[in-house]
């Protein structure tokens, strides 16, 4: 409940970042691209096939830049005011916090434990919080780790709140020893808490491995006997129930472990299916009006993150009932993730300036009623269900709800309570266990609207973007908060192979959405999504398709050098290309440096995205083709996550350090024998061959119509962008390109050279 007096300042404020100078730069680059296209059209008859291919590629680049200009035209974000929230909100709403994990090997249980502990310790009334962990791997090790974590939480949560600890993930907080010379109460409690955490880590490590006998661990583990990852019954266990429920700082929020039923002959819809099970179980147990979704490797780095989101949902400066979700940017404490931070800063804020940011899969607060399929038209101005909606759709009729949400009467009742914004149930969590087991069966969603119009949407491995555009298509908006320090911090997949795997999954999932009813081009005409928002979604959904023009453009300079044909304009018109490249480099460099990143970081990002685009994204296209032909389905592969011990971004005094770069392996690109590294190796070898041929004067000179130094410079630029592959030629082990990949790339390069020099 909040004081809604219109004379009071709002709980949140929309901040616009639009810049007429940046708009002018965007339009200038767009104008130069159109000028280049016009030049190519005028000289099309005078040149060969390479000129036509370059024209088609540049048409794609022009369209992409047009979409980028549209997105970045009016960037914005929302700024919350916590002091106003504390003064005027007398009773904060409840929040259910969701953590998902699927593989105890690739997602270390101690990593999941730290994420959970950081959420249990946030600055929010304890009796208004509940944490649910979905374990799609049905691992007794994960359950054991969470049980031990619940014991440590009774020490950790009061300690964090008593001393206002900023970093509430123990593995980050205890990274460095405490430099304290006095025997204060804080020092003693710090040492005690650290010892307890180390004991927790040892218990989890000791339990890891096939030799551990879970049958001897107690009756609580009987549910895990004879279970397999893809063949087991539903498991719902209340690890800790806050029966006091008064919000005392020494209390710990509700803590529940769940694992939905899986059968080998059933399709489980990956993370989206797990999220929908979380929605159902939490609806039966606590039914909070708001839900927080966090990946298992994304710990809460800002203790006030929940209250920040509530400033948006309960704010008076905007219609709170039209805000479906609040998205926080994803930031990372390890690995080379600077390019993702920059992308979120400009593209994320660009989305936020239109209809709101896209849901990014983690660090997002959702409104339960919206996830139940409500449209903006279903609500009155006060946020209650409209009488017209109830009458026309029979929204609260039991028969209608059973068709949408399944045949569980308890589930239907919880849905009605959520839609009518009734208070949370007062029964103990254990009374809902039987109903929770029922809604976790494989067949429960059969002939319902789960995954279609209710909950997280199916038919794409990028369930976050798919669900996001579905919400915006119903007329809802979303909000973006960019706090400092970051609200959530996570870890990126280690090394090149894991990053390439993740990027392929993202690109494939985004491409899948183009072939569903959520296609943004369709939505802009027949749904409530805004036209510019549709174009913004189109930009990210077509990431995979960008691989084709980028691959061809990386090969064109080498082809033209070997074939002795022109690629770029001659004379004064060459200035179009030089100006374009120069402006783009300076523009992107400014974007990086304005966020505090270095020149080296900017170069690494440019190199990384070229490698990803021509590698991982390229293979998303055959994935989609095979799916459309019915040959195979796309697969959600969990990426490996590890705990890093460097690069703390924020925290408490002496416990924080920065990576000093002393690690000789830092920043090195890793390789393996996967097909992702074949295109990059091929591109490198072809361009090196062209440079060698040009330097030795082997190319045929054809005067004005032939290749020149500028095409050779293009080859050099490509080699610079693929420098990690050049280094990989001389490295060994995981930092060297495997011989098998090099031999395949060399064979393709020979074919390319023979084809290029042939008249």
């Amino acid at each position: 409940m909040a004081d809604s007096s219109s004379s009071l300042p709002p709980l949140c404020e929309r901040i616009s970042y639009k810049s007429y100078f940046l708009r002018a730069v965007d339009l200038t680059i767009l104008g130069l691209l159109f000028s280049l296209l016009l030049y190519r059209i005028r000289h099309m008859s005078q040149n060969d096939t390479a000129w036509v291919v370059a024209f088609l590629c540049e048409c794609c680049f022009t369209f992409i830049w047009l979409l980028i200009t549209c997105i970045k035209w009016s960037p914005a974000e929302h700024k919350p005011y916590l002091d106003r929230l504390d003064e005027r909100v007398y009773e904060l709403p409840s929040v259910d916090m969701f953590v998902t994990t699927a593989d105890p090997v690739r997602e270390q249980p101690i990593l999941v434990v730290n994420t959970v502990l950081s959420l249990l310790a946030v600055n929010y009334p304890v009796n208004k919080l509940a944490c649910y962990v979905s374990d799609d791997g049905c691992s007794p090790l994960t359950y054991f780790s969470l049980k031990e974590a619940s014991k440590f939480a009774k020490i950790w949560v009061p300690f964090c709140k008593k001393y206002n600890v900023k970093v509430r993930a123990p593995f980050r907080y205890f990274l460095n020893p405490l430099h304290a010379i006095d025997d204060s109460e804080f020092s003693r409690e710090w040492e005690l808490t650290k010892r307890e955490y180390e004991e927790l880590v040892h218990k989890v490590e000791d339990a890891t491995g096939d030799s551990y006998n879970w049958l001897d661990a107690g009756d609580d583990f009987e549910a895990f006997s004879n279970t397999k990852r893809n063949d087991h019954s539903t498991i719902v266990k209340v690890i800790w129930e806050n029966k006091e429920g008064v919000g005392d700082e020494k209390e710990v929020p509700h803590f529940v472990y769940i694992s939905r039923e899986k059968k080998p002959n059933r399709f489980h819809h990956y993370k989206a299916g797990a999220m929908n099970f979380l929605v159902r179980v939490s609806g039966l147990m606590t039914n909070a009006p708001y839900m927080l979704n966090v990946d298992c490797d994304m710990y809460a780095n800002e203790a006030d993150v929940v209250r920040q989101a509530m400033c948006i949902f309960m704010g008076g400066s905007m219609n709170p009932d039209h805000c479906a979700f609040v998205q926080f940017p994803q930031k990372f404490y390890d690995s080379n993730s600077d390019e993702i931070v920059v992308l979120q800063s400009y593209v994320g804020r660009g989305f936020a300036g239109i209809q709101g940011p896209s849901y990014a899969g983690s660090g997002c607060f959702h409104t339960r009623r919206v996830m139940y399929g409500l449209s903006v038209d279903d609500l009155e101005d006060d946020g209650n269900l409209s009488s017209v909606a109830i009458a026309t759709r029979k929204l609260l009729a039991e028969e209608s709800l059973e068709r949408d949400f399944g045949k569980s009467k308890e589930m239907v009742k919880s849905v009605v309570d959520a839609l009518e914004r009734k208070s949370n149930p007062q029964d103990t969590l254990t009374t809902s266990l039987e109903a929770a087991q029922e809604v976790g069966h494989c067949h429960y969603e059969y002939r319902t609207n789960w995954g279609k119009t209710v909950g997280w949407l199916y038919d794409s491995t990028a369930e976050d973007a798919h669900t996001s555009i579905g919400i915006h298509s119903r007329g809802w908006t979303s909000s973006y908060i960019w706090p400092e320090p970051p609200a959530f911090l996570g870890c990126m997949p280690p090394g090149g192979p894991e990053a390439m795997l993740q990027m392929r999954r993202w690109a494939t999932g985004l491409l899948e959405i183009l072939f569903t009813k959520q296609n943004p081009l369709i939505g802009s005409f027949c749904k409530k999504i805004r036209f510019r928002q549709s174009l913004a979604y189109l930009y990210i959904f077509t990431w995979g398709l960008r691989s084709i023009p980028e691959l061809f453009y990386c090969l064109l300079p080498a082809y033209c050098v070997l074939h002795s044909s022109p690629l770029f304009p001659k004379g004064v018109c060459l200035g179009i290309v030089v100006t374009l490249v120069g402006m783009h480099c300076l523009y992107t460099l400014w974007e990086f440096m304005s966020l505090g990143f270095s020149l080296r970081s900017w170069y690494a990002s440019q190199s990384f995205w070229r490698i990803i685009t021509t590698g991982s994204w390229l293979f998303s296209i055959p994935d989609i083709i095979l799916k459309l032909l019915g040959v195979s389905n796309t697969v959600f592969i969990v990426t490996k996550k590890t705990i890093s011990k460097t690069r703390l971004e924020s925290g408490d005094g002496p416990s924080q350090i920065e990576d000093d770069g002393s690690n000789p392996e830092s920043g090195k690109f890793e390789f393996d024998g996967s097909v992702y590294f074949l295109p990059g190796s091929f591109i490198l070898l072809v361009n090196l061959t062209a440079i060698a041929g040009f330097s030795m004067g082997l190319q045929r000179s054809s005067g004005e119509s032939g290749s020149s130094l500028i095409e050779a410079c293009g080859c050099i630029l490509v080699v610079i962008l693929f420098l990690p592959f050049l280094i990989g030629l001389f490295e060994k082990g995981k930092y060297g390109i495997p011989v098998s990949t090099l031999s395949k790339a060399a064979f393709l390069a020979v074919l390319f050279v023979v084809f290029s020099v042939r008249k």
Side-chain angles (χ1 to χ4, degrees), residues 126-355:
V126 176
N127 57 329
K128 299 289 185 179
L129 293 175
C131 183
Y132 296 83
V133 178
S134 168
D135 176 20
D136 245 18
C138 193
S139 166
L141 173 59
T142 301
Y143 177 62
F144 171 81
S145 303
L146 294 174
K147 280 194 68 175
E148 295 300 318
S150 71
K151 301 173 185 176
F152 175 69
K154 297 170 188 176
I155 301 172
W156 176 246
V157 173
F159 173 79
C160 289
K161 295 187 175 180
K162 181 178 180 179
Y163 296 107
N164 193 26
V165 173
K166 294 180 182 178
V167 176
R168 302 199 173 183
F171 84 110
R172 301 297 287 170
Y173 180 72
F174 294 121
L175 186 61
N176 277 357
L178 178 69
H179 299 293
I181 56 176
D182 60 327
D183 188 25
S184 63
E185 181 183 5
F186 169 72
S187 299
R188 291 192 297 272
E189 291 196 31
W190 189 94
E191 292 290 348
L192 173 64
T193 308
K194 185 173 186 291
R195 284 197 301 271
E196 292 291 336
Y197 175 67
E198 289 172 345
E199 185 177 342
L200 167 64
V201 173
H202 290 320
K203 286 181 179 179
V204 173
E205 289 176 347
D206 291 343
T208 303
D210 297 332
S211 60
Y212 197 91
N213 190 354
W214 295 106
L215 296 177
D216 297 336
D219 296 339
D220 202 22
F221 288 84
E222 286 185 4
F224 295 94
S225 60
N226 300 320
T227 60
K228 297 179 181 178
R229 181 177 174 182
N230 292 313
D231 187 5
H232 59 84
S233 301
T234 306
I235 300 176
V236 180
K237 290 183 175 292
V238 178
I239 297 178
W240 171 255
E241 183 173 3
N242 179 23
K243 296 182 179 179
E244 298 295 330
V246 295
D248 186 86
E249 289 190 350
K250 294 183 179 180
E251 296 176 14
V252 176
H254 296 313
F255 189 15
V256 182
Y257 170 93
I258 68 173
S259 184
R260 59 188 171 135
E261 182 183 41
K262 283 190 173 182
K263 296 299 177 184
N265 59 339
R266 293 276 185 170
F267 191 56
H268 305 107
H269 303 289
Y270 309 119
K271 183 180 176 181
M275 292 302 301
N276 284 337
F277 182 42
L278 280 165
V279 174
R280 294 196 292 272
V281 172
S282 63
L284 292 168
M285 290 187 167
T286 47
N287 211 23
Y290 301 105
M291 305 173 292
L292 167 62
N293 163 219
V294 180
D295 282 347
C296 67
D297 62 319
M298 276 274 179
Y299 71 85
N301 185 63
E302 168 56 68
D304 292 319
V305 61
V306 182
R307 293 164 62 235
Q308 289 178 347
M310 291 307 111
C311 286
I312 305 296
F313 288 125
M314 309 182 74
S317 64
M318 55 184 292
N319 189 338
D321 297 304
H322 286 184
C323 180
F325 60 87
V326 176
Q327 178 68 58
F328 289 83
Q330 295 187 14
K331 294 191 176 182
F332 306 89
Y333 57 82
D334 67 347
S335 185
N336 256 338
S337 59
D338 299 343
E339 64 281 342
I340 295 180
V341 175
V342 175
L343 185 70
Q344 291 179 113
S345 176
Y346 296 101
V347 176
R349 283 188 172 117
F351 265 85
I354 309 173
Q355 195 173 342

Side-chain angles (χ1 to χ4, degrees), residues 518-593:
Q518 302 298 346
N519 185 303
L521 295 178
I522 299 174
S524 61
F525 295 105
C526 59
K527 298 183 181 180
K528 295 183 180 299
I529 190 169
R530 299 173 190 173
F531 179 68
R532 280 182 59 209
Q533 189 81 0
S534 293
L535 294 181
Y537 274 115
L538 187 63
Y539 167 73
I540 61 173
F541 290 170
T542 54
W543 275 1
L545 298 179
R546 287 168 53 182
S547 59
I548 297 176
E550 291 222 21
L551 175 64
F552 275 99
Y553 218 76
C554 287
L555 295 172
L556 277 172
Y559 172 85
C560 290
V561 167
L562 295 169
H563 193 67
S564 191
S565 59
L567 175 62
F568 302 111
K570 304 297 182 182
V572 178
C573 292
L574 180 61
I576 298 175
V577 176
V578 175
T579 306
L580 258 176
V581 174
M583 284 191 67
H584 185 269
C585 289
L586 291 175
Y587 189 17
T588 53
L589 177 60
W590 173 83
E591 287 182 331
F592 270 76
M593 300 193 75

Side-chain angles (χ1 to χ4, degrees), residues 396 401 411-422:
L396 301 184
L401 289 175
M411 185 69 221
V412 169
K413 182 180 182 304
S414 76
V415 170
V416 173
D417 289 342
L419 293 176
E420 294 184 336
R421 301 199 295 188
K422 290 184 179 179

